[in-house]
Structures are given as structure tokens and as C-alpha cells.
Amino acid sequence: QVQLVESGGGLVQAGDSLRLSCATSGRTFSTYSMAWFRQAPGKEREFVAKIYWRTSSTYYADSVQGRFSISRDNAKNTVYLQMNRLKPEDTAVYYCAADTVRPGTYDAWGQGTQVTVSS
């Protein structure tokens, strides 16, 4: 059982940077990976980035490759999403998620944090 709380969203201009945080609690030792997803109004949920908790290996969606970076701090039980060179297309609610039972099936979710990028 893992609890997730996102923070760091806000209003920024295109080209700016923003860092999202996901604080975790509970049985984080059983977590296979942490991931960020996003969803814009009228759009389906989209995968953004993931990091394997034990190894720190990372994977990114093509749309954010080279601009976003996911990282972790095991001592603080926190994962981050550093977002650089933001575009209006990045505007969405961003969610933190974890697969604690079955690898690849995200069963724990945060409440979401809004990111709005103006042009």
C-alpha cells in the first residue's frame, strides 16, 4: 500500500521550466516503478515518464524525450519530474502513479496537479 501526493504545478510561459514532486508513504519497498501520466481535457490519459524504484532506470514518451527528466530520492521517498522547455501542448493535469502489486499495472495514484503553459 502506497500513498502519493503531487505538488509543484502552476502557470508558466512557453519555454519555462517547472519541477513536479511526488511524495510517497507506505510500503514503498514493494513498488516496482513510479511513473508520471498526464491528461488534458477531452484527451485520453497519456504516459509521460517512469523510473524503476530499485535501479533508477528511466523511460520517456517521445513527446517529452530530451525535455523532461524523472528522478528519485530514496532517502526522502520522493520522485520528481523536471520539465524543461515547456510547450502549450504540455498543459494537462499531471498524475503520479505506482505499480505496487503487478509490474506495469498502476494501482496507486495521486490526486493530480495542474500544469498550464501559456503561449
Side-chain angles (χ1 to χ4, degrees), residues 38-41 87-94 114-118:
R38 66 187 183 186
Q39 187 167 25
K87 304 175 180 179
E89 306 93 274
D90 296 319
T91 295
V93 177
Y94 283 71
Q114 177 71 47
V115 173
T116 302
V117 185
S118 66

Side-chain angles (χ1 to χ4, degrees), residues 1 25 41 58-59 64 67 78 97 109:
Q1 185 179 9
S25 62
T58 60
Y59 297 90
V64 305
R67 298 189 298 119
T78 301
W109 294 82

Side-chain angles (χ1 to χ4, degrees), residues 33-111:
S33 68
M34 300 289 294
W36 288 94
F37 294 82
R38 66 187 183 186
Q39 187 167 25
K43 304 290 185 179
E44 65 181 6
R45 187 180 63 191
E46 176 187 23
F47 167 78
V48 176
K50 72 182 298 183
I51 182 169
Y52 287 96
W53 193 253
R54 183 175 180 179
T55 67
S56 77
S57 296
T58 60
Y59 297 90
Y60 300 92
D62 289 341
S63 59
V64 305
Q65 181 73 47
R67 298 189 298 119
F68 290 10
S69 179
I70 187 170
S71 62
R72 62 165 170 81
D73 186 331
N74 287 350
K76 297 181 179 180
N77 290 321
T78 301
V79 297
Y80 305 95
L81 184 67
Q82 179 65 47
M83 310 164 69
N84 298 322
R85 302 191 302 280
L86 282 161
K87 304 175 180 179
E89 306 93 274
D90 296 319
T91 295
V93 177
Y94 283 71
Y95 298 92
C96 181
D99 48 350
T100 66
V101 178
R102 189 168 182 265
T105 301
Y106 292 93
D107 53 274
W109 294 82
Q111 82 287 352

